[in-house]
Amino acid sequence: MAKQWSEGHSTSILCVGASPGPEGLLASGSEGGEVTVWSQEGTIIGRLILPGEEDSTSVVFSPAAPCQLYVSHGDTVRVLDPRNLKGHVEEYRGAGEEEINALALNETGSALAVADDSGAVRVLELPQGKVCRTLRRHTNICSSVAFRPHRPNNLVSAGLDMQVMLWGLQKTRPLWTLNLQDVAEEEDEHQQRPGQLFNPPLAHCVSVASCGNILGCAAEDGRVHLMRIGSGSKLEQQGAVKAHRQGASQAHFISFLSHPYWLVTGGNDGHVALWDLSKHPVVVPEGKAKTTLTGPQRKKGKSKAKRKEQSQGREKPSNPEAEKEEVEDEVVSEKSGPKVSISHGDKVNWLCPAVLKGEPSVVVADQSCSLSVYPLSLL
């Protein structure tokens, strides 16, 4: 069922990115600083090993200039020309305070967000690469970051402190913070069976639907936590989908299917799933309930972990001065299962939705040196 793209890497692939447009290229990065550029048929266009051989942790094409590929390794971001990988076009050393975990570009390609191990999110003005904002509220590793479509000054971040934050770039404090641990504890009080254990909801991957108002966050508790942003950028409603039997490592909204609420997820259970969330209560509001919004933790997290590792048995972060404010609605829904569930068989490191030769597809990176490509034409 899956096509295999092989021989592009000699180490485990950690990240994949796709260039926009019908003839766009794809890029993948792996351990040891390897970067490979692929055609839509899976032919290798070019390969490069970055200096220092630190892991290539994120690859992102510019939406404004498909000939610009941003790659993070260590605390550095390099800008490459995917058609000619002989060397870098630009280099932003020290773009991250510590090792970078994720990159995100805004829709115009004028700003680059960098999430790193220190918990900081830095925003760089492009093309100069000058740091214009440093956002510090995460108390552990910041694992994922995404700009909101249609809102160039809004940024979402998620981290291993179990916090999801929405930022307005005019300020250096978040507009709101959702503590996934508090949410999960409230849900589990009603659902947990005696003796049943749950992994903490360490936040691994955050994605924003193309409408700009629906967020999805894959977490270690196997759930994808969903949030709806209302007027004034307020958190209007939140809920969850129980997506995987083990930690959910990836969640990406797909912009090229019949509506903006298709979501593809991957997890440590070796499954890849496609979800239609168009009727989910967070997307289509139903009912009225109350939940709490928790302010960011003040205590510095001590544990050090990597997004790509299984993170279990972590000490519960303290929240001594949590600020509480009300959110309008909370809905938890596990009624409907995925439209498509693929037993991939290996832990998922990264998912990349892409249209390949006119066919909607998802590219899967796992613990191996090869990429797997699954068609979504099962719909």
Side-chain angles (χ1 to χ4, degrees):
M1 181 179 166
K3 297 175 186 174
Q4 294 292 317
W5 291 4
S6 303
E7 301 179 2
H9 292 272
S10 62
T11 55
S12 179
I13 301 173
L14 304 177
C15 55
V16 188
S19 176
E23 300 300 323
L25 301 174
L26 287 90
S28 52
S30 69
E31 294 175 352
E34 293 182 350
V35 179
T36 301
V37 175
W38 309 81
S39 73
Q40 293 200 355
E41 294 86 2
T43 305
I44 296 169
I45 304 293
R47 292 182 64 194
L48 176 69
I49 298 180
L50 299 172
E53 299 188 7
E54 295 170 293
D55 294 350
S56 301
T57 53
S58 189
V59 289
V60 183
F61 285 90
S62 170
C67 59
Q68 292 178 348
L69 173 65
Y70 294 79
V71 181
S72 60
H73 67 119
D75 66 358
T76 299
V77 175
R78 292 179 188 267
V79 188
L80 307 176
D81 182 344
R83 303 160 301 181
N84 179 11
L85 290 182
K86 300 296 183 190
H88 61 264
V89 179
E90 295 280 353
E91 179 185 44
Y92 308 136
R93 285 189 176 274
E97 297 184 358
E98 295 183 17
E99 184 177 358
I100 297 167
N101 296 308
L103 301 175
L105 283 160
N106 66 355
E107 290 175 301
T108 60
S110 62
L112 175 71
V114 176
D116 70 25
D117 274 6
S118 74
V121 177
R122 282 181 165 178
V123 181
L124 281 61
E125 292 179 337
L126 299 178
Q128 296 86 0
K130 178 184 176 182
V131 177
C132 62
R133 282 285 183 272
T134 300
L135 311 174
R136 307 179 197 275
R137 281 298 173 98
H138 287 287
T139 59
N140 204 322
I141 289 168
C142 186
S143 50
S144 186
V145 65
F147 281 94
R148 278 182 75 191
H150 318 301
R151 305 288 195 282
N153 289 318
N154 273 195
L155 186 71
V156 184
S157 64
L160 301 192
D161 57 357
M162 303 178 255
Q163 313 271 358
V164 178
M165 302 183 187
L166 178 68
W167 304 83
L169 295 184
Q170 296 90 343
K171 299 179 180 179
T172 55
R173 61 186 296 272
L175 299 173
W176 52 257
T177 296
L178 182 66
N179 186 322
L180 299 185
Q181 188 177 37
D182 289 350
V183 172
E185 285 175 354
E186 289 173 13
E187 295 168 8
D188 294 342
E189 281 178 11
H190 305 291
Q191 300 173 16
Q192 188 167 0
R193 295 186 296 273
Q196 186 177 6
L197 298 176
F198 287 93
N199 289 331
L202 312 178
H204 293 308
C205 179
V206 68
S207 178
V208 189
S210 59
C211 66
N213 295 327
I214 303 297
L215 314 182
C217 181
E220 188 64 27
D221 59 359
R223 292 182 174 97
V224 174
H225 296 266
L226 302 174
M227 289 141 264
R228 186 175 76 246
I229 302 173
S231 60
S233 295
K234 292 181 180 178
L235 177 59
E236 190 172 82
Q237 193 169 29
Q238 65 84 19
V241 173
K242 179 64 177 172
H244 293 274
R245 293 191 302 273
Q246 297 179 36
S249 56
Q250 289 280 289
H252 296 270
F253 283 101
I254 303 175
S255 61
F256 48 74
L257 293 181
S258 56
H259 56 70
Y261 309 117
W262 288 101
L263 182 78
V264 63
T265 66
N268 296 335
D269 58 359
H271 278 76
V272 176
L274 180 68
W275 306 82
D276 180 356
L277 300 178
S278 60
K279 296 180 180 177
H280 191 282
V282 170
V283 176
V284 182
E286 293 176 6
K288 293 285 181 182
K290 292 283 184 182
T291 186
T292 54
L293 185 66
T294 307
Q297 297 168 254
R298 308 301 207 279
K299 187 174 177 181
K300 179 71 178 171
K302 297 179 181 177
S303 62
K304 164 85 167 151
K306 298 306 296 176
R307 173 170 46 84
K308 59 180 177 278
E309 293 174 352
Q310 276 275 69
S311 305
Q312 296 183 6
R314 285 194 188 282
E315 195 173 319
K316 199 167 161 182
S318 62
N319 194 0
E321 301 175 41
E323 302 163 1
K324 301 272 183 181
E325 83 181 65
E326 290 188 342
V327 182
E328 288 188 0
D329 300 320
E330 177 202 5
V331 178
V332 180
S333 177
E334 299 181 9
K335 298 177 196 170
S336 57
K339 293 294 181 183
V340 179
S341 183
I342 300 165
S343 181
H344 178 67
D346 199 357
K347 292 201 309 187
V348 173
N349 281 343
W350 204 279
L351 297 177
C352 178
V355 179
L356 303 177
K357 305 307 289 184
E359 183 171 44
S361 306
V362 60
V363 182
V364 182
D366 54 31
Q367 312 291 297
S368 73
C369 309
S370 300
L371 293 171
S372 300
V373 181
Y374 292 95
L376 298 178
S377 53
L378 301 168
L379 301 171

